[in-house]
Amino acid sequence: MRLLLSRYVRITSAILAGAISVAGFTSASGASPSKNVNVVGYSVVGPAFKALEAAFAATPAGSGVTFTNSFGASDTQTQNVANGQAADLVNLSYEPNLATLVTAGKVPASWARQEYVYGHVNVALTGKKAQTTFPTPGILTNSVVVLVVRKGNPLGIANWSDLAKSGVQIVTPNPLTSGSARWNLAAAYSSQLQIGKSGLAARAYLKQFLANTVAQPTSGSAALATFVAGTGNVLVDYEDDARAALAAGDPIQIVTPPQTFLIQNPVALTNNGLANPYAVSFYQYLFSAAGQGIFASLGYRSVLRSIWIATESQFPRRTLTNALWSVTNINKQGWNFVNPFFFATNVVFVKGSTTVPLVGLATYYEQFAGAGT
Amino acid sequence: MHPPRERWVHRRASIWTGRSARGLALTYFSLVVLIPIVALITHAFSHGAGAWWSALTQRESLSALRLTIACAAGAALVNTVAGTATAWVLVRDRFIGQSVVNALIDLPFALPTVVAGVTFYTLYGPHSPFHLNVTGTWIGITVAITFVTLPFNVRAVQPLLESRTFHAEAAAATLGASSGRVFRTITLPALAPAILTGTGLAFARALGEYGSVVFISNNLPYRTEVASSYVYSLATSGQVDAAAAVSTGLLVLALTVLASVNIATRRLARSQ
């Protein structure tokens, strides 16, 4: 009964978090509004920001600074900011979200350079000695896609290929609202290329992966709540989210596949945030050794090389070839290619057809899975 | 002969009838209902009728609409029978705790639907204490919608039952009609307009249900995603016009059902 109750609370809070993010929760708490920073983030990063904000408020630069937080499904959050929700600093799941905000005039086109200008880091931009683990600018945290299974791993899941077996029930969020979902599906497809399979085989794998999917909750957090509540036997998740759940005592186990996918979550100061000195100094704090140390302690793979080297031993070490791919491994254009390749919506599956789709693979195979039931 | 107080009420009432009352009512109706609906339709057609039609007839939209209509109809049918029976018991029967049950009937209206959804998930989900898992199925969706729309049928039928004298039924019974026949030929026709109204309202309300359903459905596109959830996903991923287009589908459906119920109840009333 107690377990039942804790699940109940868990699910309710996941859903309410979503509801609050929709409402655009913007009541500054108490203190003078001039020292307030509006933070808008993707669902999973919420707890990390609470810790970072508390630590920042304890520094001289952050003394007296208050925060207004909003966390939810990444695409939903992006749309809310584009539609006018107050935001000084945005930390979203994947880069196309920031492209949307640039188009909406909320974030400057040069947002990735803020890492150099205000964060004072990045190999590619500063040209100084290696400061960041990967050259991509504007990225606040790295993570990888992992598979979360029930304690004891009853199905013996060891790698991505195991997810295509019959009887496996996958939980992964809905790609229409969640950035996490997009990382997961790109990772699933990519995993087959990483082990040397052809593009055609990777498509067939993605098709089976989606046929085995039993739930697509609206955000990464909602997906974890659904899995913990008992649905499915594999959850595809951010490594940091899975580690946090494990630390919280959920009866789960993390399987890091031998080959998996690099997640890079971008951060930016909005045009409003650039005019807010407290937002700027918080941004700087996020890229400091202290800020990145907090991320690392919460299961993120730090973008700061010094912190990554110090914390690397916590993470499963992979020395295989193609152990870690990113969007640019699928195509040099990165998300500009990957997004339409998987998620183009104007794709129609015709029953009985054997045509191989060229774009919108996920859209196509989901229709295929739907037609089968 | 009128007592003074009543005359005062009458005089005051005359100010609130006629033009000013009509103006107030229409302004209120416009602000709350008409203008939002016009805005919705404007959004839906902002890229022309072609874009509206293609958004409405997208595969994902059609399968979501189909599932929603089926589950809403299922829930409305269940409530038609169960709701009428509940109203009957509450009015014609006497039992301990009756007033409590009567008060609890409205609970589905008062309870936030998300809470209802989570409750169903824990009761009829993977860790169900009854070993009954209906998550990710049309049954689960229908159960959630049935709960949320139950009060419509009960509360539509109840007042009519309370005001009925049942003299005709008594007369028919003394003339030798079986209780089944009495119900079929006298009671049911008398209750039909109220039952129909309750069912129509419940169905229309069920079409838009989101909170109680989104979790128990597992939200699988093309399979278990309901229309309201699809609209939510579209609206929150920058496709507001497509969301509005799918919403017009729900709107037309709800209006058609409510209008048909209206016509049918009038015909029934006239035929009696």
Side-chain angles (χ1 to χ4, degrees), chain A residues 27 30 40-41 51 71 127 131 139 147 164-165 179 192 217 222 245 286 311 321 325 332 339 347 356:
Chain A
S27 71
V40 177
F71 298 101
Q131 290 167 295
I139 302 300
L147 312 175
K165 289 178 179 161
Q192 300 305 296
L286 294 177
T311 54
T321 31
W325 268 28
K332 279 203 174 62
N339 231 358
V347 183
V356 177

mmCIF file with all atom_site columns, all heavy atoms in Angstrom, chain A residues 27 30 40-41 51 71 127 131 139 147 164-165 179 192 217 222 245 286 311 321 325 332 339 347 356:
data_model
loop_
_atom_site.group_PDB
_atom_site.id
_atom_site.type_symbol
_atom_site.label_atom_id
_atom_site.label_alt_id
_atom_site.label_comp_id
_atom_site.label_asym_id
_atom_site.label_entity_id
_atom_site.label_seq_id
_atom_site.pdbx_PDB_ins_code
_atom_site.Cartn_x
_atom_site.Cartn_y
_atom_site.Cartn_z
_atom_site.occupancy
_atom_site.B_iso_or_equiv
_atom_site.pdbx_formal_charge
_atom_site.auth_seq_id
_atom_site.auth_comp_id
_atom_site.auth_asym_id
_atom_site.auth_atom_id
_atom_site.pdbx_PDB_model_num
ATOM 1   N N   . SER A 1 27  ? 5.119  33.330  -11.045 1.00 0.00 ? 27  SER A N   1
ATOM 2   C CA  . SER A 1 27  ? 4.997  34.196  -9.882  1.00 0.00 ? 27  SER A CA  1
ATOM 3   C C   . SER A 1 27  ? 6.333  34.275  -9.151  1.00 0.00 ? 27  SER A C   1
ATOM 4   O O   . SER A 1 27  ? 6.805  33.287  -8.611  1.00 0.00 ? 27  SER A O   1
ATOM 5   C CB  . SER A 1 27  ? 3.904  33.679  -8.957  1.00 0.00 ? 27  SER A CB  1
ATOM 6   O OG  . SER A 1 27  ? 4.323  32.497  -8.334  1.00 0.00 ? 27  SER A OG  1
ATOM 7   N N   . GLY A 1 30  ? 8.443  36.371  -3.480  1.00 0.00 ? 30  GLY A N   1
ATOM 8   C CA  . GLY A 1 30  ? 8.854  37.334  -2.472  1.00 0.00 ? 30  GLY A CA  1
ATOM 9   C C   . GLY A 1 30  ? 9.735  38.481  -2.930  1.00 0.00 ? 30  GLY A C   1
ATOM 10  O O   . GLY A 1 30  ? 9.229  39.525  -3.325  1.00 0.00 ? 30  GLY A O   1
ATOM 11  N N   . VAL A 1 40  ? 13.744 28.687  -17.838 1.00 0.00 ? 40  VAL A N   1
ATOM 12  C CA  . VAL A 1 40  ? 12.832 27.759  -18.504 1.00 0.00 ? 40  VAL A CA  1
ATOM 13  C C   . VAL A 1 40  ? 13.650 26.577  -19.005 1.00 0.00 ? 40  VAL A C   1
ATOM 14  O O   . VAL A 1 40  ? 14.638 26.771  -19.725 1.00 0.00 ? 40  VAL A O   1
ATOM 15  C CB  . VAL A 1 40  ? 12.093 28.434  -19.680 1.00 0.00 ? 40  VAL A CB  1
ATOM 16  C CG1 . VAL A 1 40  ? 11.204 27.427  -20.408 1.00 0.00 ? 40  VAL A CG1 1
ATOM 17  C CG2 . VAL A 1 40  ? 11.249 29.610  -19.185 1.00 0.00 ? 40  VAL A CG2 1
ATOM 18  N N   . GLY A 1 41  ? 13.258 25.370  -18.613 1.00 0.00 ? 41  GLY A N   1
ATOM 19  C CA  . GLY A 1 41  ? 14.054 24.213  -18.989 1.00 0.00 ? 41  GLY A CA  1
ATOM 20  C C   . GLY A 1 41  ? 13.231 23.013  -19.393 1.00 0.00 ? 41  GLY A C   1
ATOM 21  O O   . GLY A 1 41  ? 12.006 22.994  -19.220 1.00 0.00 ? 41  GLY A O   1
ATOM 22  N N   . ALA A 1 51  ? 19.303 22.651  -7.450  1.00 0.00 ? 51  ALA A N   1
ATOM 23  C CA  . ALA A 1 51  ? 20.570 22.545  -6.722  1.00 0.00 ? 51  ALA A CA  1
ATOM 24  C C   . ALA A 1 51  ? 21.532 23.658  -7.135  1.00 0.00 ? 51  ALA A C   1
ATOM 25  O O   . ALA A 1 51  ? 22.193 24.287  -6.297  1.00 0.00 ? 51  ALA A O   1
ATOM 26  C CB  . ALA A 1 51  ? 21.210 21.183  -6.976  1.00 0.00 ? 51  ALA A CB  1
ATOM 27  N N   . PHE A 1 71  ? 9.697  23.977  -15.724 1.00 0.00 ? 71  PHE A N   1
ATOM 28  C CA  . PHE A 1 71  ? 10.272 22.819  -16.410 1.00 0.00 ? 71  PHE A CA  1
ATOM 29  C C   . PHE A 1 71  ? 9.159  21.965  -16.988 1.00 0.00 ? 71  PHE A C   1
ATOM 30  O O   . PHE A 1 71  ? 8.134  21.749  -16.352 1.00 0.00 ? 71  PHE A O   1
ATOM 31  C CB  . PHE A 1 71  ? 11.135 21.999  -15.438 1.00 0.00 ? 71  PHE A CB  1
ATOM 32  C CG  . PHE A 1 71  ? 12.294 22.785  -14.900 1.00 0.00 ? 71  PHE A CG  1
ATOM 33  C CD1 . PHE A 1 71  ? 12.248 23.342  -13.636 1.00 0.00 ? 71  PHE A CD1 1
ATOM 34  C CD2 . PHE A 1 71  ? 13.413 23.001  -15.687 1.00 0.00 ? 71  PHE A CD2 1
ATOM 35  C CE1 . PHE A 1 71  ? 13.311 24.100  -13.150 1.00 0.00 ? 71  PHE A CE1 1
ATOM 36  C CE2 . PHE A 1 71  ? 14.477 23.757  -15.215 1.00 0.00 ? 71  PHE A CE2 1
ATOM 37  C CZ  . PHE A 1 71  ? 14.433 24.307  -13.939 1.00 0.00 ? 71  PHE A CZ  1
ATOM 38  N N   . GLY A 1 127 ? 40.045 29.149  -28.705 1.00 0.00 ? 127 GLY A N   1
ATOM 39  C CA  . GLY A 1 127 ? 41.321 28.775  -29.290 1.00 0.00 ? 127 GLY A CA  1
ATOM 40  C C   . GLY A 1 127 ? 42.373 28.457  -28.245 1.00 0.00 ? 127 GLY A C   1
ATOM 41  O O   . GLY A 1 127 ? 43.502 28.116  -28.565 1.00 0.00 ? 127 GLY A O   1
ATOM 42  N N   . GLN A 1 131 ? 39.372 23.191  -23.199 1.00 0.00 ? 131 GLN A N   1
ATOM 43  C CA  . GLN A 1 131 ? 38.572 23.441  -22.007 1.00 0.00 ? 131 GLN A CA  1
ATOM 44  C C   . GLN A 1 131 ? 37.316 22.595  -21.971 1.00 0.00 ? 131 GLN A C   1
ATOM 45  O O   . GLN A 1 131 ? 36.805 22.285  -20.912 1.00 0.00 ? 131 GLN A O   1
ATOM 46  C CB  . GLN A 1 131 ? 38.154 24.918  -21.963 1.00 0.00 ? 131 GLN A CB  1
ATOM 47  C CG  . GLN A 1 131 ? 39.304 25.861  -21.692 1.00 0.00 ? 131 GLN A CG  1
ATOM 48  C CD  . GLN A 1 131 ? 38.868 27.271  -21.986 1.00 0.00 ? 131 GLN A CD  1
ATOM 49  O OE1 . GLN A 1 131 ? 38.580 27.606  -23.123 1.00 0.00 ? 131 GLN A OE1 1
ATOM 50  N NE2 . GLN A 1 131 ? 38.809 28.078  -20.952 1.00 0.00 ? 131 GLN A NE2 1
ATOM 51  N N   . ILE A 1 139 ? 26.563 24.257  -25.563 1.00 0.00 ? 139 ILE A N   1
ATOM 52  C CA  . ILE A 1 139 ? 26.030 23.059  -24.903 1.00 0.00 ? 139 ILE A CA  1
ATOM 53  C C   . ILE A 1 139 ? 26.365 23.120  -23.416 1.00 0.00 ? 139 ILE A C   1
ATOM 54  O O   . ILE A 1 139 ? 27.517 23.292  -23.037 1.00 0.00 ? 139 ILE A O   1
ATOM 55  C CB  . ILE A 1 139 ? 26.631 21.778  -25.523 1.00 0.00 ? 139 ILE A CB  1
ATOM 56  C CG1 . ILE A 1 139 ? 26.340 21.715  -27.022 1.00 0.00 ? 139 ILE A CG1 1
ATOM 57  C CG2 . ILE A 1 139 ? 26.110 20.528  -24.800 1.00 0.00 ? 139 ILE A CG2 1
ATOM 58  C CD1 . ILE A 1 139 ? 24.875 21.700  -27.398 1.00 0.00 ? 139 ILE A CD1 1
ATOM 59  N N   . LEU A 1 147 ? 19.458 2.482   -21.414 1.00 0.00 ? 147 LEU A N   1
ATOM 60  C CA  . LEU A 1 147 ? 18.267 1.650   -21.301 1.00 0.00 ? 147 LEU A CA  1
ATOM 61  C C   . LEU A 1 147 ? 18.045 1.369   -19.814 1.00 0.00 ? 147 LEU A C   1
ATOM 62  O O   . LEU A 1 147 ? 18.975 0.958   -19.123 1.00 0.00 ? 147 LEU A O   1
ATOM 63  C CB  . LEU A 1 147 ? 18.472 0.339   -22.062 1.00 0.00 ? 147 LEU A CB  1
ATOM 64  C CG  . LEU A 1 147 ? 19.022 0.506   -23.488 1.00 0.00 ? 147 LEU A CG  1
ATOM 65  C CD1 . LEU A 1 147 ? 19.297 -0.847  -24.124 1.00 0.00 ? 147 LEU A CD1 1
ATOM 66  C CD2 . LEU A 1 147 ? 18.051 1.305   -24.347 1.00 0.00 ? 147 LEU A CD2 1
ATOM 67  N N   . ALA A 1 164 ? 14.516 -5.094  -30.014 1.00 0.00 ? 164 ALA A N   1
ATOM 68  C CA  . ALA A 1 164 ? 13.677 -5.464  -31.157 1.00 0.00 ? 164 ALA A CA  1
ATOM 69  C C   . ALA A 1 164 ? 13.114 -6.873  -31.012 1.00 0.00 ? 164 ALA A C   1
ATOM 70  O O   . ALA A 1 164 ? 12.357 -7.324  -31.853 1.00 0.00 ? 164 ALA A O   1
ATOM 71  C CB  . ALA A 1 164 ? 14.482 -5.343  -32.449 1.00 0.00 ? 164 ALA A CB  1
ATOM 72  N N   . LYS A 1 165 ? 13.512 -7.564  -29.930 1.00 0.00 ? 165 LYS A N   1
ATOM 73  C CA  . LYS A 1 165 ? 13.001 -8.930  -29.741 1.00 0.00 ? 165 LYS A CA  1
ATOM 74  C C   . LYS A 1 165 ? 11.519 -8.903  -29.386 1.00 0.00 ? 165 LYS A C   1
ATOM 75  O O   . LYS A 1 165 ? 11.023 -7.931  -28.820 1.00 0.00 ? 165 LYS A O   1
ATOM 76  C CB  . LYS A 1 165 ? 13.781 -9.620  -28.612 1.00 0.00 ? 165 LYS A CB  1
ATOM 77  C CG  . LYS A 1 165 ? 15.207 -9.942  -29.017 1.00 0.00 ? 165 LYS A CG  1
ATOM 78  C CD  . LYS A 1 165 ? 15.966 -10.585 -27.882 1.00 0.00 ? 165 LYS A CD  1
ATOM 79  C CE  . LYS A 1 165 ? 17.379 -10.918 -28.315 1.00 0.00 ? 165 LYS A CE  1
ATOM 80  N NZ  . LYS A 1 165 ? 18.269 -11.117 -27.164 1.00 0.00 ? 165 LYS A NZ  1
ATOM 81  N N   . GLY A 1 179 ? 11.812 16.461  -26.353 1.00 0.00 ? 179 GLY A N   1
ATOM 82  C CA  . GLY A 1 179 ? 13.124 16.390  -26.981 1.00 0.00 ? 179 GLY A CA  1
ATOM 83  C C   . GLY A 1 179 ? 13.785 15.061  -26.688 1.00 0.00 ? 179 GLY A C   1
ATOM 84  O O   . GLY A 1 179 ? 14.441 14.464  -27.550 1.00 0.00 ? 179 GLY A O   1
ATOM 85  N N   . GLN A 1 192 ? 22.275 0.771   -34.842 1.00 0.00 ? 192 GLN A N   1
ATOM 86  C CA  . GLN A 1 192 ? 22.493 -0.288  -35.823 1.00 0.00 ? 192 GLN A CA  1
ATOM 87  C C   . GLN A 1 192 ? 23.626 0.065   -36.782 1.00 0.00 ? 192 GLN A C   1
ATOM 88  O O   . GLN A 1 192 ? 24.396 -0.803  -37.189 1.00 0.00 ? 192 GLN A O   1
ATOM 89  C CB  . GLN A 1 192 ? 21.186 -0.556  -36.583 1.00 0.00 ? 192 GLN A CB  1
ATOM 90  C CG  . GLN A 1 192 ? 20.050 -0.989  -35.684 1.00 0.00 ? 192 GLN A CG  1
ATOM 91  C CD  . GLN A 1 192 ? 20.409 -2.214  -34.842 1.00 0.00 ? 192 GLN A CD  1
ATOM 92  O OE1 . GLN A 1 192 ? 20.652 -3.298  -35.371 1.00 0.00 ? 192 GLN A OE1 1
ATOM 93  N NE2 . GLN A 1 192 ? 20.484 -2.037  -33.527 1.00 0.00 ? 192 GLN A NE2 1
ATOM 94  N N   . PRO A 1 217 ? 4.556  8.781   -23.230 1.00 0.00 ? 217 PRO A N   1
ATOM 95  C CA  . PRO A 1 217 ? 4.103  9.898   -22.401 1.00 0.00 ? 217 PRO A CA  1
ATOM 96  C C   . PRO A 1 217 ? 4.617  11.239  -22.944 1.00 0.00 ? 217 PRO A C   1
ATOM 97  O O   . PRO A 1 217 ? 5.532  11.262  -23.776 1.00 0.00 ? 217 PRO A O   1
ATOM 98  C CB  . PRO A 1 217 ? 4.700  9.592   -21.026 1.00 0.00 ? 217 PRO A CB  1
ATOM 99  C CG  . PRO A 1 217 ? 4.922  8.111   -21.053 1.00 0.00 ? 217 PRO A CG  1
ATOM 100 C CD  . PRO A 1 217 ? 5.306  7.802   -22.456 1.00 0.00 ? 217 PRO A CD  1
ATOM 101 N N   . ALA A 1 222 ? 7.568  12.330  -17.446 1.00 0.00 ? 222 ALA A N   1
ATOM 102 C CA  . ALA A 1 222 ? 6.331  11.548  -17.437 1.00 0.00 ? 222 ALA A CA  1
ATOM 103 C C   . ALA A 1 222 ? 6.624  10.109  -17.861 1.00 0.00 ? 222 ALA A C   1
ATOM 104 O O   . ALA A 1 222 ? 6.001  9.169   -17.363 1.00 0.00 ? 222 ALA A O   1
ATOM 105 C CB  . ALA A 1 222 ? 5.293  12.175  -18.354 1.00 0.00 ? 222 ALA A CB  1
ATOM 106 N N   . ALA A 1 245 ? 17.054 8.603   -10.775 1.00 0.00 ? 245 ALA A N   1
ATOM 107 C CA  . ALA A 1 245 ? 15.981 7.701   -10.346 1.00 0.00 ? 245 ALA A CA  1
ATOM 108 C C   . ALA A 1 245 ? 16.541 6.570   -9.494  1.00 0.00 ? 245 ALA A C   1
ATOM 109 O O   . ALA A 1 245 ? 15.959 6.173   -8.488  1.00 0.00 ? 245 ALA A O   1
ATOM 110 C CB  . ALA A 1 245 ? 15.254 7.134   -11.567 1.00 0.00 ? 245 ALA A CB  1
ATOM 111 N N   . LEU A 1 286 ? 27.000 28.608  -14.418 1.00 0.00 ? 286 LEU A N   1
ATOM 112 C CA  . LEU A 1 286 ? 26.681 27.281  -14.955 1.00 0.00 ? 286 LEU A CA  1
ATOM 113 C C   . LEU A 1 286 ? 27.880 26.642  -15.640 1.00 0.00 ? 286 LEU A C   1
ATOM 114 O O   . LEU A 1 286 ? 28.030 25.423  -15.642 1.00 0.00 ? 286 LEU A O   1
ATOM 115 C CB  . LEU A 1 286 ? 25.508 27.378  -15.946 1.00 0.00 ? 286 LEU A CB  1
ATOM 116 C CG  . LEU A 1 286 ? 24.152 27.781  -15.380 1.00 0.00 ? 286 LEU A CG  1
ATOM 117 C CD1 . LEU A 1 286 ? 23.117 27.891  -16.498 1.00 0.00 ? 286 LEU A CD1 1
ATOM 118 C CD2 . LEU A 1 286 ? 23.679 26.780  -14.332 1.00 0.00 ? 286 LEU A CD2 1
ATOM 119 N N   . THR A 1 311 ? 35.626 13.271  -13.035 1.00 0.00 ? 311 THR A N   1
ATOM 120 C CA  . THR A 1 311 ? 34.438 12.482  -12.698 1.00 0.00 ? 311 THR A CA  1
ATOM 121 C C   . THR A 1 311 ? 34.210 11.301  -13.638 1.00 0.00 ? 311 THR A C   1
ATOM 122 O O   . THR A 1 311 ? 33.277 10.520  -13.442 1.00 0.00 ? 311 THR A O   1
ATOM 123 C CB  . THR A 1 311 ? 33.170 13.368  -12.743 1.00 0.00 ? 311 THR A CB  1
ATOM 124 O OG1 . THR A 1 311 ? 33.110 14.020  -14.018 1.00 0.00 ? 311 THR A OG1 1
ATOM 125 C CG2 . THR A 1 311 ? 33.181 14.404  -11.641 1.00 0.00 ? 311 THR A CG2 1
ATOM 126 N N   . THR A 1 321 ? 35.189 0.818   -30.819 1.00 0.00 ? 321 THR A N   1
ATOM 127 C CA  . THR A 1 321 ? 35.005 1.753   -31.926 1.00 0.00 ? 321 THR A CA  1
ATOM 128 C C   . THR A 1 321 ? 33.520 2.080   -32.024 1.00 0.00 ? 321 THR A C   1
ATOM 129 O O   . THR A 1 321 ? 32.676 1.230   -31.738 1.00 0.00 ? 321 THR A O   1
ATOM 130 C CB  . THR A 1 321 ? 35.454 1.135   -33.278 1.00 0.00 ? 321 THR A CB  1
ATOM 131 O OG1 . THR A 1 321 ? 35.232 -0.252  -33.212 1.00 0.00 ? 321 THR A OG1 1
ATOM 132 C CG2 . THR A 1 321 ? 36.870 1.475   -33.609 1.00 0.00 ? 321 THR A CG2 1
ATOM 133 N N   . TRP A 1 325 ? 28.145 7.849   -30.719 1.00 0.00 ? 325 TRP A N   1
ATOM 134 C CA  . TRP A 1 325 ? 27.863 8.663   -31.899 1.00 0.00 ? 325 TRP A CA  1
ATOM 135 C C   . TRP A 1 325 ? 27.043 9.869   -31.486 1.00 0.00 ? 325 TRP A C   1
ATOM 136 O O   . TRP A 1 325 ? 26.352 9.840   -30.465 1.00 0.00 ? 325 TRP A O   1
ATOM 137 C CB  . TRP A 1 325 ? 27.067 7.839   -32.921 1.00 0.00 ? 325 TRP A CB  1
ATOM 138 C CG  . TRP A 1 325 ? 27.933 7.133   -33.916 1.00 0.00 ? 325 TRP A CG  1
ATOM 139 C CD1 . TRP A 1 325 ? 29.218 6.706   -33.723 1.00 0.00 ? 325 TRP A CD1 1
ATOM 140 C CD2 . TRP A 1 325 ? 27.569 6.757   -35.243 1.00 0.00 ? 325 TRP A CD2 1
ATOM 141 N NE1 . TRP A 1 325 ? 29.669 6.081   -34.854 1.00 0.00 ? 325 TRP A NE1 1
ATOM 142 C CE2 . TRP A 1 325 ? 28.688 6.097   -35.805 1.00 0.00 ? 325 TRP A CE2 1
ATOM 143 C CE3 . TRP A 1 325 ? 26.418 6.905   -36.014 1.00 0.00 ? 325 TRP A CE3 1
ATOM 144 C CZ2 . TRP A 1 325 ? 28.676 5.600   -37.116 1.00 0.00 ? 325 TRP A CZ2 1
ATOM 145 C CZ3 . TRP A 1 325 ? 26.403 6.408   -37.308 1.00 0.00 ? 325 TRP A CZ3 1
ATOM 146 C CH2 . TRP A 1 325 ? 27.531 5.762   -37.858 1.00 0.00 ? 325 TRP A CH2 1
ATOM 147 N N   . LYS A 1 332 ? 26.393 14.967  -41.520 1.00 0.00 ? 332 LYS A N   1
ATOM 148 C CA  . LYS A 1 332 ? 27.227 16.127  -41.186 1.00 0.00 ? 332 LYS A CA  1
ATOM 149 C C   . LYS A 1 332 ? 26.407 17.361  -40.818 1.00 0.00 ? 332 LYS A C   1
ATOM 150 O O   . LYS A 1 332 ? 26.843 18.214  -40.062 1.00 0.00 ? 332 LYS A O   1
ATOM 151 C CB  . LYS A 1 332 ? 28.146 16.470  -42.366 1.00 0.00 ? 332 LYS A CB  1
ATOM 152 C CG  . LYS A 1 332 ? 29.379 15.597  -42.427 1.00 0.00 ? 332 LYS A CG  1
ATOM 153 C CD  . LYS A 1 332 ? 30.494 16.281  -43.212 1.00 0.00 ? 332 LYS A CD  1
ATOM 154 C CE  . LYS A 1 332 ? 31.783 15.487  -43.146 1.00 0.00 ? 332 LYS A CE  1
ATOM 155 N NZ  . LYS A 1 332 ? 31.622 14.131  -43.759 1.00 0.00 ? 332 LYS A NZ  1
ATOM 156 N N   . ASN A 1 339 ? 16.340 15.893  -37.918 1.00 0.00 ? 339 ASN A N   1
ATOM 157 C CA  . ASN A 1 339 ? 14.949 16.211  -37.552 1.00 0.00 ? 339 ASN A CA  1
ATOM 158 C C   . ASN A 1 339 ? 13.945 15.801  -38.634 1.00 0.00 ? 339 ASN A C   1
ATOM 159 O O   . ASN A 1 339 ? 13.052 15.009  -38.371 1.00 0.00 ? 339 ASN A O   1
ATOM 160 C CB  . ASN A 1 339 ? 14.834 17.692  -37.199 1.00 0.00 ? 339 ASN A CB  1
ATOM 161 C CG  . ASN A 1 339 ? 14.147 17.890  -35.860 1.00 0.00 ? 339 ASN A CG  1
ATOM 162 O OD1 . ASN A 1 339 ? 13.726 16.939  -35.213 1.00 0.00 ? 339 ASN A OD1 1
ATOM 163 N ND2 . ASN A 1 339 ? 14.019 19.132  -35.445 1.00 0.00 ? 339 ASN A ND2 1
ATOM 164 N N   . VAL A 1 347 ? 4.029  12.375  -43.985 1.00 0.00 ? 347 VAL A N   1
ATOM 165 C CA  . VAL A 1 347 ? 4.380  11.076  -44.531 1.00 0.00 ? 347 VAL A CA  1
ATOM 166 C C   . VAL A 1 347 ? 3.204  10.148  -44.312 1.00 0.00 ? 347 VAL A C   1
ATOM 167 O O   . VAL A 1 347 ? 2.667  10.088  -43.213 1.00 0.00 ? 347 VAL A O   1
ATOM 168 C CB  . VAL A 1 347 ? 5.613  10.500  -43.786 1.00 0.00 ? 347 VAL A CB  1
ATOM 169 C CG1 . VAL A 1 347 ? 6.029  9.180   -44.387 1.00 0.00 ? 347 VAL A CG1 1
ATOM 170 C CG2 . VAL A 1 347 ? 6.744  11.497  -43.815 1.00 0.00 ? 347 VAL A CG2 1
ATOM 171 N N   . VAL A 1 356 ? 10.133 2.005   -49.154 1.00 0.00 ? 356 VAL A N   1
ATOM 172 C CA  . VAL A 1 356 ? 10.956 2.436   -48.030 1.00 0.00 ? 356 VAL A CA  1
ATOM 173 C C   . VAL A 1 356 ? 10.871 3.957   -47.936 1.00 0.00 ? 356 VAL A C   1
ATOM 174 O O   . VAL A 1 356 ? 11.103 4.657   -48.920 1.00 0.00 ? 356 VAL A O   1
ATOM 175 C CB  . VAL A 1 356 ? 12.421 2.003   -48.232 1.00 0.00 ? 356 VAL A CB  1
ATOM 176 C CG1 . VAL A 1 356 ? 13.275 2.514   -47.088 1.00 0.00 ? 356 VAL A CG1 1
ATOM 177 C CG2 . VAL A 1 356 ? 12.503 0.499   -48.342 1.00 0.00 ? 356 VAL A CG2 1
#
